[in-house]
Amino acid sequence: MMDILYTGPVPAERESPMVRSETSPSRARRGPTQRPNACCFCWCCCCSCSCLTVRNEDGGQARRKSLETKLEPIPNYEPCAKPTVDEMQLWAHSFDKMMKNPAGRNVFREFLRTEYSEENMLFWMACEDLKKEINKSAIEDKARMIYENYISILSPKEVSLDSRVREVINKKMQEPTPFTFEDAQLQIYTLMHRDSYPRFLNCAIYKSLLQEASRPPSES
């Protein structure tokens, strides 16, 4: 029998406020836009729904439809081996090491969902995916999709970037490359590190997962 792939803890049900909050400059806490179903975060990789569902709130559904058919969406959660206790303890000492670990990204991403800032991780992952692309046509399509999903002020998943970075992106979008969003990706990475990561280390999701993994087999 195949081993069950680890995608993270099952999230607790959360009450979603009806109004999106924009009070935090870092946008770390906000009211929800439409989110993936909670069933996507489970102990297997069988979920087929997409975390990059294209919204039609800005009336751009028809314009984006052609891009949807060309691009494979980023998986809802990354299939990976279940992390060891040592690996999870290492996450508390190094944000960089956690972000390089698929299981670490999954758990941190679930925490970001509770703060309604999951788009930060999705944007970072989309940029990583773009960097691996070598086909010019695919680069242009993926860059446009990233721009419309995370940079456009019309997008409900817009990430928080300063005006300088936005200006750089607008210029680079005239001829996109795999590194068009490099400055923006670094800014969002830094935001997650400084703003969300300290709270993640004290959240119930991380603590309960670490506690469960630390139990002797007889107590599990």
Coordinates of all heavy atoms in Angstrom, one line a residue, residues 157-194:
K157 N -7.0 39.3 -4.8 CA -5.8 38.7 -4.2 C -4.5 39.6 -4.4 O -3.4 39.1 -4.3 CB -5.5 37.3 -4.9 CG -6.6 36.3 -4.7 CD -6.2 34.9 -5.2 CE -6.2 34.9 -6.7 NZ -5.9 33.6 -7.3
E158 N -4.7 40.8 -4.5 CA -3.6 41.8 -4.7 C -2.7 41.7 -3.5 O -3.2 41.8 -2.3 CB -4.2 43.2 -4.9 CG -3.1 44.3 -5.0 CD -3.7 45.7 -4.8 OE1 -4.9 45.8 -4.5 OE2 -2.9 46.6 -4.8
V159 N -1.4 41.7 -3.7 CA -0.5 41.7 -2.6 C 0.0 43.1 -2.3 O -0.2 44.0 -3.2 CB 0.8 40.8 -2.9 CG1 0.4 39.3 -3.0 CG2 1.5 41.2 -4.1
S160 N 0.5 43.4 -1.2 CA 0.9 44.7 -0.8 C 2.3 45.0 -1.2 O 3.3 44.5 -0.7 CB 0.8 44.9 0.7 OG 1.1 46.2 1.1
L161 N 2.4 46.0 -2.2 CA 3.7 46.4 -2.7 C 3.9 47.9 -2.7 O 2.9 48.6 -2.9 CB 3.9 45.8 -4.1 CG 3.9 44.3 -4.3 CD1 3.8 44.0 -5.8 CD2 5.1 43.6 -3.7
D162 N 5.1 48.4 -2.6 CA 5.2 49.8 -2.6 C 5.2 50.3 -4.1 O 5.4 49.5 -5.0 CB 6.5 50.3 -1.9 CG 7.8 49.7 -2.4 OD1 7.9 49.6 -3.7 OD2 8.7 49.4 -1.7
S163 N 5.1 51.6 -4.2 CA 5.0 52.2 -5.6 C 6.2 52.0 -6.4 O 6.1 51.8 -7.6 CB 4.7 53.7 -5.4 OG 5.7 54.4 -4.7
R164 N 7.4 52.0 -5.8 CA 8.6 51.8 -6.6 C 8.6 50.4 -7.3 O 9.0 50.3 -8.4 CB 9.9 51.9 -5.7 CG 11.2 51.7 -6.4 CD 12.3 51.6 -5.4 NE 12.2 50.4 -4.6 CZ 12.6 49.1 -5.0 NH1 13.0 49.0 -6.3 NH2 12.4 48.1 -4.2
V165 N 8.3 49.4 -6.5 CA 8.3 48.0 -7.0 C 7.2 47.9 -8.1 O 7.4 47.2 -9.1 CB 8.1 47.0 -5.9 CG1 7.8 45.6 -6.4 CG2 9.3 47.0 -4.9
R166 N 6.1 48.5 -7.9 CA 5.0 48.4 -8.9 C 5.5 49.1 -10.2 O 5.2 48.6 -11.3 CB 3.8 49.1 -8.4 CG 3.0 48.3 -7.3 CD 1.7 49.0 -6.9 NE 1.0 48.1 -5.9 CZ 0.2 47.1 -6.3 NH1 0.1 46.8 -7.6 NH2 -0.4 46.4 -5.4
E167 N 6.2 50.2 -10.1 CA 6.7 50.9 -11.3 C 7.7 50.0 -12.0 O 7.6 49.9 -13.3 CB 7.3 52.2 -10.9 CG 7.8 53.0 -12.1 CD 8.3 54.4 -11.7 OE1 8.3 54.7 -10.5 OE2 8.9 55.1 -12.5
V168 N 8.5 49.3 -11.3 CA 9.5 48.4 -11.9 C 8.8 47.3 -12.7 O 9.1 46.9 -13.8 CB 10.4 47.8 -10.9 CG1 11.3 46.7 -11.5 CG2 11.4 48.9 -10.3
I169 N 7.8 46.7 -12.0 CA 7.0 45.6 -12.6 C 6.3 46.1 -13.9 O 6.3 45.4 -14.9 CB 6.0 45.1 -11.6 CG1 6.6 44.3 -10.5 CG2 5.0 44.1 -12.4 CD1 5.7 43.9 -9.4
N170 N 5.7 47.3 -13.9 CA 5.0 47.8 -15.0 C 5.9 47.9 -16.2 O 5.5 47.7 -17.4 CB 4.3 49.1 -14.7 CG 3.1 48.9 -13.8 OD1 2.5 47.9 -13.8 ND2 2.8 50.0 -13.0
K171 N 7.2 48.3 -16.0 CA 8.1 48.5 -17.1 C 8.6 47.1 -17.6 O 8.7 46.9 -18.8 CB 9.4 49.2 -16.6 CG 9.1 50.7 -16.3 CD 10.3 51.4 -15.8 CE 10.1 52.9 -15.5 NZ 11.3 53.6 -15.0
K172 N 8.8 46.2 -16.7 CA 9.3 44.8 -17.1 C 8.2 44.0 -17.8 O 8.5 43.1 -18.6 CB 9.8 44.1 -15.8 CG 11.1 44.6 -15.3 CD 11.5 43.7 -14.1 CE 12.9 44.2 -13.6 NZ 13.4 43.3 -12.5
M173 N 6.9 44.4 -17.5 CA 5.8 43.6 -18.1 C 5.8 43.9 -19.6 O 5.1 43.2 -20.4 CB 4.5 44.0 -17.5 CG 4.2 43.3 -16.2 SD 4.2 41.5 -16.3 CE 2.7 41.3 -17.3
Q174 N 6.4 44.9 -20.1 CA 6.5 45.2 -21.6 C 7.2 44.0 -22.3 O 6.9 43.8 -23.5 CB 7.2 46.5 -21.8 CG 6.4 47.7 -21.2 CD 7.2 49.0 -21.4 OE1 8.1 49.1 -22.3 NE2 6.8 50.0 -20.6
E175 N 8.1 43.4 -21.6 CA 8.8 42.2 -22.2 C 9.2 41.3 -21.0 O 10.3 41.3 -20.5 CB 10.1 42.6 -22.9 CG 10.7 41.5 -23.7 CD 11.8 42.0 -24.6 OE1 12.0 43.2 -24.8 OE2 12.6 41.1 -25.1
P176 N 8.2 40.5 -20.5 CA 8.4 39.7 -19.3 C 9.5 38.7 -19.4 O 9.8 38.1 -20.5 CB 7.0 39.0 -19.2 CG 6.1 39.8 -20.0 CD 6.9 40.3 -21.1
T177 N 10.2 38.4 -18.3 CA 11.2 37.4 -18.2 C 10.9 36.5 -17.0 O 10.0 36.9 -16.2 CB 12.6 38.0 -18.1 OG1 12.7 38.5 -16.7 CG2 12.9 39.1 -19.1
P178 N 11.6 35.4 -16.8 CA 11.3 34.6 -15.6 C 11.6 35.4 -14.3 O 11.1 35.0 -13.2 CB 12.3 33.5 -15.7 CG 12.5 33.3 -17.2 CD 12.5 34.7 -17.7
F179 N 12.3 36.6 -14.4 CA 12.6 37.3 -13.2 C 11.9 38.7 -13.1 O 12.3 39.6 -12.4 CB 14.1 37.5 -13.1 CG 14.9 36.2 -13.0 CD1 15.4 35.7 -14.2 CD2 15.0 35.5 -11.9 CE1 16.1 34.5 -14.2 CE2 15.7 34.3 -11.8 CZ 16.2 33.8 -13.0
T180 N 10.8 38.8 -13.8 CA 10.0 40.1 -13.9 C 9.6 40.5 -12.5 O 9.6 41.7 -12.2 CB 8.8 39.9 -14.8 OG1 9.3 39.8 -16.1 CG2 7.9 41.1 -14.7
F181 N 9.2 39.6 -11.6 CA 8.7 39.9 -10.3 C 9.7 39.7 -9.2 O 9.3 39.6 -8.0 CB 7.4 39.0 -10.0 CG 6.4 39.2 -11.1 CD1 6.3 38.2 -12.1 CD2 5.5 40.3 -11.1 CE1 5.3 38.4 -13.1 CE2 4.5 40.4 -12.1 CZ 4.4 39.5 -13.1
E182 N 10.9 39.7 -9.5 CA 12.0 39.4 -8.5 C 11.9 40.3 -7.3 O 12.0 39.9 -6.1 CB 13.3 39.4 -9.1 CG 14.4 38.8 -8.3 CD 15.7 38.6 -9.0 OE1 16.0 39.4 -9.9 OE2 16.5 37.7 -8.7
D183 N 11.9 41.7 -7.6 CA 11.8 42.6 -6.5 C 10.6 42.5 -5.7 O 10.6 42.6 -4.4 CB 11.9 44.1 -7.1 CG 13.3 44.4 -7.7 OD1 14.2 43.6 -7.4 OD2 13.4 45.4 -8.5
A184 N 9.5 42.3 -6.3 CA 8.2 42.1 -5.6 C 8.2 40.8 -4.8 O 7.7 40.8 -3.6 CB 7.0 42.1 -6.6
Q185 N 8.8 39.8 -5.3 CA 8.8 38.5 -4.6 C 9.7 38.7 -3.3 O 9.3 38.2 -2.2 CB 9.4 37.4 -5.4 CG 9.4 36.1 -4.8 CD 10.1 35.0 -5.6 OE1 10.9 35.3 -6.5 NE2 9.8 33.7 -5.3
L186 N 10.8 39.4 -3.4 CA 11.6 39.6 -2.2 C 10.9 40.5 -1.2 O 11.0 40.2 0.0 CB 12.9 40.4 -2.7 CG 13.9 40.7 -1.5 CD1 14.3 39.5 -0.7 CD2 15.1 41.5 -2.1
Q187 N 10.1 41.5 -1.7 CA 9.4 42.3 -0.7 C 8.3 41.5 0.0 O 8.1 41.7 1.2 CB 8.7 43.5 -1.5 CG 8.2 44.5 -0.5 CD 7.8 45.8 -1.3 OE1 6.6 46.1 -1.6 NE2 8.8 46.6 -1.6
I188 N 7.6 40.6 -0.7 CA 6.6 39.8 0.0 C 7.2 38.8 0.9 O 6.7 38.5 2.0 CB 5.7 39.1 -1.1 CG1 4.9 40.2 -1.8 CG2 4.8 38.1 -0.4 CD1 4.0 41.1 -0.9
Y189 N 8.3 38.2 0.5 CA 9.1 37.3 1.3 C 9.5 37.9 2.6 O 9.3 37.4 3.7 CB 10.3 36.8 0.6 CG 11.1 35.7 1.2 CD1 10.8 34.3 1.0 CD2 12.1 35.9 2.1 CE1 11.5 33.3 1.6 CE2 12.9 34.9 2.7 CZ 12.5 33.6 2.5 OH 13.2 32.6 3.1
T190 N 10.0 39.1 2.5 CA 10.4 39.9 3.7 C 9.2 40.2 4.6 O 9.3 40.1 5.8 CB 11.1 41.2 3.3 OG1 12.2 40.9 2.5 CG2 11.6 42.0 4.5
L191 N 8.1 40.5 4.0 CA 6.9 40.8 4.7 C 6.4 39.6 5.5 O 6.1 39.7 6.7 CB 5.8 41.3 3.8 CG 4.4 41.5 4.4 CD1 4.3 42.6 5.4 CD2 3.3 41.8 3.3
M192 N 6.4 38.4 4.9 CA 6.0 37.2 5.6 C 7.0 36.9 6.7 O 6.5 36.5 7.8 CB 5.9 36.1 4.6 CG 4.8 36.1 3.6 SD 4.6 34.6 2.6 CE 6.1 34.5 1.6
H193 N 8.2 37.1 6.5 CA 9.3 36.8 7.5 C 9.1 37.7 8.7 O 9.1 37.2 9.9 CB 10.6 37.0 6.9 CG 11.8 36.6 7.8 ND1 13.1 36.8 7.4 CD2 11.8 36.0 9.0 CE1 13.9 36.3 8.4 NE2 13.1 35.8 9.4
R194 N 8.9 39.0 8.5 CA 8.9 40.0 9.6 C 7.5 40.0 10.3 O 7.4 40.2 11.5 CB 9.3 41.4 9.1 CG 10.7 41.4 8.6 CD 11.1 42.8 8.1 NE 12.4 43.0 7.7 CZ 13.0 44.1 7.2 NH1 12.2 45.1 7.0 NH2 14.2 44.1 6.8

